[in-house]
Amino acid sequence: MKQRLPDAIDLKIDIGGLNAVFTRHRNQWSIPNGARVRRDGRIITVSRPRETNCDFGEGPFSTLVLRWGDVSTAYYSTGIKNIEVRMAVTPPLRIAISLPGFARKIFGMPFVQSFLKAQIARMPEGPSDEVLRTGRRVLVGVTNTNGENARARVTTGQGNLLTAQAGVEIARRVIVGEVKVGFQTPSLLYGSDLILQFEGATREELK
């Protein structure tokens, strides 16, 4: 999208299709610290993010801003200084994000964190085979100062499986010498079409 709209100043990434099956790793939400967004190049905390809507191709879904790594990495990949990552809302996510300030402080106390981590450790380590056969959709949109925008919808395989496949492929490329020394993001090093080589991945440019 940055290539389609080179003067973009705002980037929104909406993630949908993440199922409601909870595993250890998915439940490692950092509730006490709130959501994170990038504003004018700086990462800031949003204590009470507002709910928005996004159509992933099957009608509108409610979405909420949360803490996600793309707030950091997408900035280096695109140079865009205003970034939000939003996720389709599930009931547990809405509860976690909507907790009042005093409740978040309680969740941040060491003994509460220890209790929660003990409960999380009892959950499944990873998704089931049935869940691994499901997919997700990501809607990416950019906007410039004139109000012009560009959007695309990316459909991928299940997130855990895609992460493993991408990690193996990037490691393979590094081993054969396809690498630059120093900090890189996958798209900076291997291009924006890297995602499309994995099974079930498609990209649709939207009007």
Side-chain angles (χ1 to χ4, degrees):
M1 295 303 94
K2 172 66 173 179
Q3 293 169 353
R4 284 178 57 188
L5 198 67
D7 60 345
I9 61 166
D10 184 85
L11 168 63
K12 297 289 193 303
I13 303 172
D14 290 276
I15 304 173
L18 293 181
N19 53 71
V21 176
F22 292 96
T23 63
R24 297 180 196 175
H25 304 296
R26 183 165 295 176
N27 279 277
Q28 299 289 346
W29 304 107
S30 186
I31 294 174
N33 298 318
R36 295 291 181 90
V37 300
R38 189 177 286 274
R39 291 284 183 270
D40 297 323
R42 297 178 59 249
I43 295 177
I44 64 172
T45 299
V46 179
S47 58
R48 297 298 295 271
R50 63 185 179 87
E51 199 166 314
T52 57
N53 289 319
C54 178
D55 187 347
F56 296 99
E58 301 173 344
F61 279 85
S62 294
T63 58
L64 278 172
V65 174
L66 73 162
R67 302 166 68 86
W68 211 254
D70 299 81
V71 170
S72 174
T73 57
Y75 170 71
Y76 295 102
S77 297
T78 66
I80 297 175
K81 295 183 177 181
N82 300 285
I83 302 172
E84 288 184 7
V85 181
R86 305 181 293 206
M87 186 168 292
V89 177
T90 60
L93 178 57
R94 178 178 280 114
I95 292 172
I97 295 294
S98 301
L99 287 173
F102 75 89
R104 294 187 184 190
K105 290 181 180 179
I106 292 173
F107 272 95
M109 292 180 177
F111 75 92
V112 177
Q113 286 284 301
S114 297
F115 172 78
L116 292 175
K117 289 177 181 179
Q119 300 305 307
I120 289 171
R122 300 170 61 182
M123 294 180 177
E125 185 173 0
S128 65
D129 290 341
E130 180 181 356
V131 171
L132 287 174
R133 289 192 291 269
T134 65
R136 66 175 179 176
R137 287 184 172 178
V138 181
L139 194 71
V140 181
V142 294
T143 307
N144 66 11
T145 54
N146 297 322
E148 299 172 316
N149 61 72
R151 296 188 305 141
R153 182 167 53 231
V154 179
T155 301
T156 75
Q158 201 275 339
N160 299 69
L161 183 60
L162 176 65
T163 299
Q165 292 171 333
V168 169
E169 173 60 19
I170 290 172
R172 184 194 67 79
R173 294 190 182 202
V174 170
I175 289 172
V176 299
E178 296 181 33
V179 65
K180 295 179 182 179
V181 176
F183 171 81
Q184 303 286 336
T185 66
S187 62
L188 281 177
L189 191 54
Y190 301 119
S192 58
D193 291 337
L194 172 68
I195 188 70
L196 299 179
Q197 77 172 66
F198 302 108
E199 183 179 356
T202 61
R203 183 173 62 221
E204 176 188 5
E205 296 189 359
L206 306 175
K207 294 182 179 180

